[in-house]
Amino acid sequence: MNAEWVPAVLNYWLNEVGPQGWFDSSEEEDARCLHLFRALLDVQRDKPATDFLADADTALAAIILFDQFPRNMFRDQARAFATDGLARAIADGALARGYDEAFVEAARPFFYMPFMHSEDLADQERSLALFSRPGYEFNLDFAQAHYDIICRFGRFPHRNVALGRETRPEEEEAIEQGAHW
């Protein structure tokens, strides 16, 4: 049986925010997410990935908590990416158990997005393979764009300021063109 936070996270993200709000950010929704889930993130973030693999619901809720929510809660800050590794480890374990198949197609991409958000080329290749399957055409364009940026620069240049990295001259153009992930 999963913890009481699991249905709260899933309901908020899948139903309240929903497809229309997943990729449309607003300061109001970012503030709401921060208010509702920051304490939960702070409590759960130091646990090992295996703690979140008891069932498909817990795995998906944890991936959303560690991959999606920080991007909203801490937009343009290093903390937006601080739990990416944990989200990836949970996603890897969840996929090994076939947990993504327990969800409707609209929710499944959240099992795959930690790989798209990674600055590791192998993760990017995995993202492309996952999103190349039928039914994920919408996500595939984004996965390809993420992959192309990592192939070109080895990192996401738009994160440089937040992560205290120097922006290389060749990255300036990509930033100006709006590669904002």
Side-chain angles (χ1 to χ4, degrees):
M1 182 166 171
N2 55 42
E4 62 187 55
W5 64 268
V6 169
V9 167
L10 294 177
N11 182 61
Y12 170 77
W13 192 248
L14 299 177
N15 300 320
E16 292 179 36
V17 174
Q20 24 335 13
W22 289 337
F23 308 109
D24 248 352
S25 64
S26 74
E27 288 182 24
E28 295 81 21
E29 197 57 52
D30 288 355
R32 183 171 178 242
C33 185
L34 181 67
H35 173 75
L36 292 172
F37 297 106
R38 176 157 187 192
L40 176 65
L41 178 68
D42 290 344
V43 166
Q44 301 292 339
R45 67 179 295 145
D46 293 324
K47 294 181 179 178
T50 53
D51 282 10
F52 303 101
L53 293 171
D55 58 76
D57 284 355
T58 302
L60 181 57
I63 291 167
I64 292 167
L65 178 66
F66 300 125
D67 184 65
Q68 296 296 312
F69 286 3
R71 285 170 165 71
N72 291 51
M73 293 177 181
F74 310 117
R75 195 172 302 281
D76 301 322
Q77 300 172 45
R79 294 183 295 177
F81 317 109
T83 53
D84 281 5
L86 179 57
R88 246 184 346 275
I90 297 165
D92 188 53
L95 293 179
R97 291 165 174 78
Y99 286 167
D100 56 324
E101 297 300 323
F103 285 88
V104 296
E105 233 173 68
R108 286 184 201 157
F110 294 104
F111 282 99
Y112 315 146
M113 284 189 193
F115 304 107
M116 186 193 308
H117 292 153
S118 173
E119 291 186 322
D120 181 83
L121 186 58
D123 289 337
Q124 289 296 320
E125 290 168 352
R126 188 171 188 189
S127 168
L128 277 179
L130 290 163
F131 286 120
S132 290
R133 298 177 304 160
Y136 300 100
E137 292 79 12
F138 172 80
N139 303 95
L140 181 57
D141 289 341
F142 293 102
Q144 184 68 55
H146 283 70
Y147 173 82
D148 291 345
I149 289 287
I150 295 301
C151 283
R152 185 172 171 198
F153 302 113
R155 62 188 187 173
F156 294 118
H158 78 284
R159 295 182 185 177
N160 290 348
V161 172
L163 297 175
R165 302 187 299 210
E166 185 175 331
T167 297
R168 300 177 214 139
E170 64 271 18
E171 294 174 327
E172 287 291 340
E173 183 181 344
I175 293 168
E176 289 171 16
Q177 290 177 348
H180 296 294
W181 1 266

